[in-house]
Amino acid sequence: MELCRATAFSWTHTVSTSLHVSLPLSKFETKRLSVWCASDQTQKANTMTVSVTGATGFIGRRLVQRLHADNHSVHVLTRSRSKAELIFPVKEFPGIVIAEEPEWKDSIRGSNGVVNLAGVPISTRWSPEIKKEIKDSRIRVTSKVIDLINDLPDSVRPTVLVSATAVGYYGTSETQVFDEQSPSGNDYLAEVCREWEATALKVNKDVRLALIRIGVVLGKDGGALAKMIPLFMVFAGGPLGSGKQWFSWIHLDDIVNLIYEALSNPSYKGVINGTAPNPVRFAEMCEHLGNVLGRPSWLPVPDFALKVVLGEGASVVLDGQRVLPVKAKELGFTFKYSSVKDALRSIISQ
């Protein structure tokens, strides 16, 4: 779905006419024609109230901007009102509701949909404490959201939950190809994703659940590129590690569009891979990045350099998996950026 394409949230202005004709009481009686515009009613019928966890994160910010721009009511579910107010100032986001945890129940109550994106970043140095927080932050928030949804009466319960998970579910491989039917891996991130998804699956059976297994999100001022570009520049460019690892990526606009579509389209349910249709080897990705940055891409960044910076967390970029968005393509989703070259060119030129 391209940003400008019509979706279930897009509407056209319609004009309806009603013709009232009375039997004439005199020769001066006239026929009355009344015309009313239904655009306001149509617009109102197509707007939603959406509650979002993780709204201050890299994906969440863009999603909130998109929903707000399309005149939907947005409830930001946050642990820090001050942080959320800095990111979503009332002057730029009039009408937005910022709710700290004690207010989450009231925000979810009556929402049409909930998007669950919460979780501390994984692209950091992993200590035992950080690994525990990576898992706990996802499980805790998801569990809280599920409990709040399930405890609501049917009449005010959201009808859809879009809950993030990750392609880490599949484990890593240089040879296998993974789709939504593939089994889970057996490493730490796969374990996190299994528990994360299992928690979301406890939602009330009447709530449509879309689980989006998100790949490496590419965008400006955040995500993987924010950490990769400085390293890339310092080492004069080149692949991280062997360069043979698969890189399953998606442009920020496309993952936001996919989540947006999952909110509005009842066909979107179950597991959906949030990755572009053309994953690449990491060496190819870095070659394209070097080209758009105007840097050489022949000198690899050695494994040890990343491990010094990220420790065990370096596995996020040193290992990889080839993940295909089979379900999204079956559903007819249109990717704005199918090639990593076009995605990087768009991002760097912004």
Side-chain angles (χ1 to χ4, degrees), residues 16-35:
S16 298
T17 61
S18 58
L19 182 65
H20 305 277
V21 181
S22 326
L23 289 174
L25 296 177
S26 74
K27 63 181 179 181
F28 301 108
E29 180 70 13
T30 59
K31 295 177 182 178
R32 292 180 297 141
L33 177 68
S34 62
V35 180

Side-chain angles (χ1 to χ4, degrees), residues 191-206:
E191 176 187 320
V192 170
C193 291
R194 283 196 304 272
E195 293 190 32
W196 196 4
E197 293 183 15
T199 305
L201 285 165
K202 294 176 183 176
V203 73
N204 184 287
K205 62 180 176 57
D206 293 328

Side-chain angles (χ1 to χ4, degrees), residues 97-113:
V97 174
I98 295 176
E100 290 189 303
E101 284 199 58
E103 305 163 307
W104 284 16
K105 182 176 182 178
D106 289 337
S107 286
I108 291 175
R109 183 186 188 91
S111 290
N112 302 99

